Amino acid sequence: MSLLKINNLKANINGTEILHGINLEVNKGEIHAIMGPNGSGKSTLASVLAGKKEFEVTEGSVLFRNQNVLELEPDERSKMGIFLAFQYPVEIPGVSNMNFLRTALNEHKKYRGEEIIEPGTFLKLVREKANLVKMDPKFLSRAVNEGFSGGEKKRNEILQMAVLEPTLAILDETDSGLDIDALRIVAEGVNTLRNSENAFIVITHYQRLLNYIVPDFVHVLHNGKIIKSGTKDLALELEEKGYDWIIN
Amino acid sequence: MSNELIEQITKSDYKYGFVTNIEQEYAPKGLNEDTVRFISEKKNEPAYMLEFRLKAFRFWQQMKHPEWQKVNFPEIDLQDIYYYAAPKIKSKPKSLEEIDPEIRDTYNKLGIPLEEQKLLAGIAVDAVMDSISVATTFKDKLAEVGIIFCSISEAIQEYPQLIKQYLGSVVPYTDNYYAALNSAVFSDGSFVYIPKGVGCPMELSTYFRINAAQTGQFERTLIIADEGSYVSYLEGCTAPMRDENQLHAAVVELYAHKNAEIKYSTVQNWYPGDKEGKGGIYNFVTKRGLCAGDNSKISWTQVETGSAITWKYPSCVLKGNNSIGEFYSVALTNNYQQADTGTKMIHLGENTRSRIVSKGISAGHSDNSYRGLVKVARKATGARNYTQCDSLLIGDTCGAHTFPYIEVENQTAVVEHEATTSKISDDAIFYLNQRGISTEDAVGMIVNGYAREVIMQLPMEFAVEAQKLLAISLEGSVG
């Protein structure tokens, strides 16, 4: 069943067109990998889907659960179930990770018309989820991402994903800057969370991550367009031959 | 940050802007020696007090208005102000139950119920409306351990020895223009005396309310902590929304004896004026504490979100050896508000220590300055100071300034100063948005995180209030 349908999506930043007409359909239960050289528009696509204001959508549509999300504010998209794991997670000094996560979860619950979660119940939940990404509980009482190493920040993204349980998670180069152990932990987190009701879009430069998170489809993005799609074998081919053979 | 976003979050609504409809009694408008005599007579004061006032008044007449501050306002016509306005009370209420229902209702609306059984456990309140104290709660309970907590008018009548000894001992009337004015025309305020060795069993607080129009509020607070005692004191302030500017020129004196500690917290939410900068309170206040005895400690914590202009420097004079002074401040300005605030730490005794943490937040077209003096006198061997001074900017039409003054006369002193300036980034807001948190809540969260170190110094209930206040002061309708 179709979860996300991107149709001829074009987007600008400061008057320069970055996305030149993207078409992509993601069904429930699927994992899509998006690969491509630097500057091809991968992160722009992620930001546009999440609703970042700097980007102006000039054409096309994005249907998520049959609703055009381009009209919605970023926080509404989040509450509908779109999650973006940031390439560069932001530090929020003085705001504890715990408080941040609980506020976010309660916003989602309010949106769904559910009761908000009590601090005690939340503590149990978040400890469980932290264990999933092998995160020391002491990070929960620290300020959001402040003084975290690159790997800790990425794990914190996966923790947030585990708490919010999105229907569509977009991982924007979550593997960049991770050592092999951290990579494995992040991948395990994703694999534990995947089920027949949700979907993942994994943006990456390297085939390496796809050994751990096995995609159903691989797309190559170049110059703001998807120029080739295939199965996981395409990623292996790219690893071997680079991008030139497709681009030229 | 995008203009639209800034506009959303800087539109604020003031929730305490109502007027209480009660009969008021005024002094004739304007200021001269007769006004001073009128106030003194109205309060049935002993001769020594009138003398104090007249000396101050005559000194004030020789003074010029200061010009060094970084705040702008038209000259205040001091002849166009009522110096005394009091809710008309037929006879002084003997108990809290006898308070005028209108006044009681006002404080209920402000969230300060005057019925003791409804009060937050462990907080005694002195409620001051315009020029007079209308109620003081838990007086009897405090008296059991020898603590005096009453209005300053009452103290002038009942405890003349303490008043004669301490009033003006920390802030003499010669100190500055507004301190002299206050000494001449102050009408009420709170008085606290904590006897030797007594730790005050509850938080004491004063709630100041300006109600009458065209009125200046000149309150006077005096807190004395005798040897080895401890007290935590809080003040809150609100005023109705009016197009005119109103002057609030208070003097607060703290006196800490040997081994005593005074913790003074302020949540200031005077009416800030409207979005175009019309109206609002001029908050020109002199606050100073004297650590007179060895090992004494005075700590100021302020969360300033209100007033059209805030101009004050809660200070510590560290006279006793090993005495400690602290200043924790959050000053938030929005729309056309102006703030020039900070502290003075005067190190006189040996091994004295001071700590300054100042967090400025500017939004809209506001202007926010930190001004602070750290002075180490010749005999203050081993003195230490640490100052941290941060500014947070929201949008690009506001200003933040820092004016640190450091005067060191002793070679052994260690004085540190750290300062940062930052902006709320679009990226931080987007990050929180992406987790389902609205822009308004995101800004509130970021600002509260930034101010956390200061908020943590407040007693629990007030910390929660202060957090809400910071968020509300930046809040607008998300369109």
Side-chain angles (χ1 to χ4, degrees):
Chain A
M1 208 191 125
S2 175
L3 186 65
L4 178 76
K5 197 164 180 193
I6 304 174
N7 187 24
N8 191 33
L9 181 66
K10 296 185 179 178
N12 287 346
I13 186 161
N14 299 329
T16 309
E17 190 170 279
I18 308 283
L19 302 181
H20 302 298
I22 303 269
N23 293 292
L24 179 67
E25 187 164 356
V26 177
N27 294 312
K28 283 183 178 174
E30 291 177 351
I31 294 184
H32 290 245
I34 295 180
M35 303 180 75
N38 280 331
S40 58
K42 300 189 298 294
S43 288
T44 299
L45 177 61
S47 296
V48 169
L49 291 177
K52 197 164 190 199
K53 291 269 185 337
E54 282 94 319
F55 298 96
E56 188 199 353
V57 174
T58 52
E59 224 180 300
S61 64
V62 176
L63 293 180
F64 176 67
R65 296 159 80 176
N66 292 320
Q67 198 177 337
N68 184 7
V69 293
L70 294 177
E71 292 160 2
L72 301 176
E73 292 294 319
D75 56 312
E76 292 171 301
R77 299 185 197 194
S78 164
K79 288 182 278 198
M80 276 186 72
I82 297 176
F83 181 91
L84 172 61
F86 284 67
Q87 187 179 359
Y88 303 109
V90 181
E91 298 188 4
I92 317 278
V95 177
S96 80
N97 225 354
M98 188 86 91
N99 181 20
F100 162 60
L101 274 169
R102 189 157 63 89
T103 307
L105 180 60
N106 279 334
E107 289 301 323
H108 283 246
K109 284 186 172 289
K110 274 191 255 171
Y111 179 82
R112 295 195 294 257
E114 295 169 15
E115 289 219 2
I116 62 164
I117 193 164
E118 293 304 318
T121 321
F122 179 74
L123 186 66
K124 249 178 87 178
L125 173 83
V126 78
R127 284 212 172 125
E128 205 178 282
K129 302 288 186 184
N131 192 35
L132 189 71
V133 290
K134 309 271 184 302
M135 186 187 254
D136 189 329
K138 76 168 190 266
F139 281 97
L140 295 170
S141 48
R142 282 175 53 177
V144 180
N145 294 324
E146 198 184 30
F148 287 27
S149 71
E152 286 158 356
K153 282 181 183 171
K154 295 296 174 71
R155 264 193 267 177
N156 202 25
E157 294 293 290
I158 303 302
L159 170 67
Q160 292 168 40
M161 184 172 84
V163 169
L164 297 176
E165 298 184 320
T167 327
L168 175 68
I170 304 158
L171 276 56
D172 188 5
E173 298 199 20
T174 299
D175 53 335
S176 64
L178 287 191
D179 62 38
I180 198 75
D181 291 332
L183 188 73
R184 200 174 286 146
I185 290 166
V186 165
E188 269 170 32
V190 171
N191 287 329
T192 315
L193 293 168
R194 79 177 288 195
N195 60 43
S196 60
E197 288 302 306
N198 61 21
F200 292 82
I201 295 175
V202 180
I203 294 171
T204 182
H205 266 297
Y206 306 106
Q207 194 273 333
R208 190 178 69 156
L209 176 66
L210 305 178
N211 289 333
Y212 300 98
I213 303 173
V214 182
D216 300 296
F217 300 96
V218 174
H219 310 279
V220 178
L221 192 63
H222 176 63
N223 264 339
K225 276 192 159 173
I226 290 176
I227 55 166
K228 194 169 178 63
S229 296
T231 61
K232 65 177 193 301
D233 296 335
L234 176 59
L236 291 169
E237 209 173 344
L238 289 168
E239 178 84 351
E240 199 184 315
K241 299 190 198 165
Y243 291 109
D244 288 350
W245 64 282
I246 311 177
I247 293 165
N248 298 320
Chain B
M1 211 192 291
S2 72
N3 287 336
E4 186 195 347
L5 199 60
I6 293 160
E7 214 161 280
Q8 278 173 15
I9 57 177
T10 55
K11 279 188 215 149
S12 64
D13 285 314
Y14 188 72
K15 299 185 177 174
Y16 307 99
F18 60 90
V19 179
T20 308
N21 202 359
I22 41 165
E23 252 192 282
Q24 296 263 2
E25 187 178 17
Y26 293 96
K29 217 182 211 181
L31 180 59
N32 52 43
E33 217 171 283
D34 288 342
T35 320
V36 178
R37 287 179 193 278
F38 177 95
I39 294 168
S40 189
E41 196 178 323
K42 202 79 217 162
K43 304 184 87 62
N44 201 19
E45 283 176 356
Y48 82 88
M49 206 55 239
L50 176 63
E51 219 170 286
F52 177 93
R53 289 176 182 278
L54 288 173
K55 257 197 249 167
F57 180 73
R58 285 165 194 152
F59 187 82
W60 174 79
Q61 283 181 308
Q62 314 299 319
M63 296 177 90
K64 281 207 178 83
H65 194 274
E67 285 173 352
W68 47 264
Q69 69 280 9
K70 198 187 175 321
V71 293
N72 293 306
F73 53 92
E75 200 179 320
I76 302 170
D77 184 356
L78 291 170
Q79 297 305 334
D80 197 33
I81 292 177
Y82 290 108
Y83 286 83
Y84 183 84
K88 222 174 206 172
I89 298 168
K90 282 170 201 96
S91 60
K92 202 173 161 39
K94 286 183 190 68
S95 72
L96 294 168
E97 282 68 41
E98 288 176 29
I99 295 167
D100 186 328
E102 283 282 349
I103 294 175
R104 185 194 300 276
D105 193 38
T106 299
Y107 283 89
N108 278 335
K109 272 201 243 177
L110 297 171
I112 315 286
L114 297 177
E115 295 92 336
E116 285 180 355
Q117 67 274 17
K118 283 194 196 164
L119 278 176
L120 295 166
I123 299 177
V125 177
D126 184 22
V128 176
M129 188 183 277
D130 295 327
S131 303
I132 63 162
S133 166
V134 292
T136 310
T137 63
F138 290 112
K139 258 168 116 164
D140 300 342
K141 193 168 175 219
L142 292 166
E144 282 170 22
V145 284
I147 292 171
I148 304 168
F149 180 39
C150 63
S151 70
I152 197 126
S153 306
E154 196 178 328
I156 288 165
Q157 308 285 346
E158 305 290 327
Y159 312 101
Q161 284 316 315
L162 288 172
I163 295 290
K164 277 184 199 166
Q165 190 180 344
Y166 292 102
L167 191 73
S169 67
V170 184
V171 181
Y173 64 80
T174 52
D175 192 78
N176 68 69
Y177 187 84
Y178 286 102
L181 179 62
N182 174 287
S183 300
V185 300
F186 75 87
S187 39
D188 221 334
S190 297
F191 176 82
V192 176
Y193 173 79
I194 314 289
K196 272 184 196 172
V198 172
C200 186
M202 59 177 80
E203 307 274 352
L204 303 184
S205 89
T206 302
Y207 199 88
F208 293 102
R209 174 77 178 166
I210 295 178
N211 187 54
Q214 292 180 285
T215 305
Q217 190 179 51
F218 303 90
E219 105 255 356
R220 186 101 194 180
T221 294
L222 174 59
I223 299 175
I224 304 150
D226 217 327
E227 281 182 25
S229 69
Y230 169 80
V231 62
S232 169
Y233 182 91
L234 311 143
E235 63 170 355
C237 342
T238 57
M241 289 155 80
R242 294 187 198 284
D243 287 345
E244 47 164 324
N245 293 109
Q246 283 183 281
L247 178 62
H248 171 85
V251 171
V252 175
E253 296 177 277
L254 312 183
Y255 199 107
H257 284 276
K258 195 172 156 187
N259 299 324
E261 180 177 349
I262 302 174
K263 188 173 160 59
Y264 193 104
S265 312
T266 304
V267 177
Q268 187 265 109
N269 187 24
W270 294 118
Y271 177 53
D274 69 9
K275 290 162 189 71
E276 275 74 51
K278 199 166 187 201
I281 302 295
Y282 290 164
N283 189 32
F284 300 166
V285 173
T286 306
K287 286 179 166 171
R288 192 174 305 151
L290 174 63
C291 283
D294 292 351
N295 313 313
S296 56
K297 179 177 175 182
I298 288 177
S299 177
W300 298 99
T301 304
Q302 58 173 24
V303 175
E304 306 277 327
T305 59
S307 298
I309 302 174
T310 295
W311 184 15
K312 64 166 187 172
Y313 314 94
S315 305
C316 297
V317 179
L318 304 171
K319 191 176 163 203
N321 292 335
N322 312 313
S323 61
I324 299 171
E326 291 176 339
F327 175 74
Y328 297 94
S329 169
V330 174
L332 182 154
T333 53
N334 192 1
N335 298 315
Y336 287 88
Q337 282 176 279
Q338 304 175 64
D340 189 328
T341 185
T343 185
K344 289 189 270 186
M345 292 292 172
I346 315 290
H347 294 257
L348 301 177
E350 287 176 15
N351 301 315
T352 46
R353 281 173 288 156
S354 64
R355 181 180 173 82
I356 300 169
V357 177
S358 164
K359 305 263 182 182
I361 301 158
S362 337
H365 297 271
S366 70
D367 215 359
N368 201 327
S369 303
Y370 167 81
R371 189 187 302 275
L373 168 68
V374 176
K375 188 186 165 93
V376 179
R378 217 175 42 238
K379 287 179 179 165
T381 300
R384 284 192 65 108
N385 161 266
Y386 172 74
T387 300
Q388 185 192 329
C389 185
D390 300 327
S391 307
L392 182 70
L393 299 165
I394 301 176
D396 52 13
T397 52
C398 55
H401 318 270
T402 306
F403 305 100
Y405 303 80
I406 297 172
E407 295 170 17
V408 176
E409 295 171 12
N410 185 302
Q411 291 298 317
T412 63
V414 180
V415 177
E416 290 173 79
H417 183 96
E418 283 182 30
T420 66
T421 303
S422 52
K423 281 186 107 170
I424 290 192
S425 70
D426 283 345
D427 284 349
I429 291 174
F430 179 63
Y431 188 68
L432 297 179
N433 280 162
Q434 214 301 307
R435 299 303 184 247
I437 298 166
S438 70
T439 296
E440 215 169 82
D441 291 346
V443 171
M445 193 176 240
I446 292 166
V447 166
N448 269 304
Y450 165 80
R452 187 166 180 269
E453 196 180 344
V454 174
I455 305 259
M456 295 244 304
Q457 298 294 326
L458 291 171
M460 188 62 180
E461 296 85 346
F462 287 76
V464 174
E465 277 307 303
Q467 280 175 337
K468 282 189 206 151
L469 200 54
L470 284 179
I472 287 167
S473 300
L474 288 170
E475 176 180 280
S477 50
V478 170

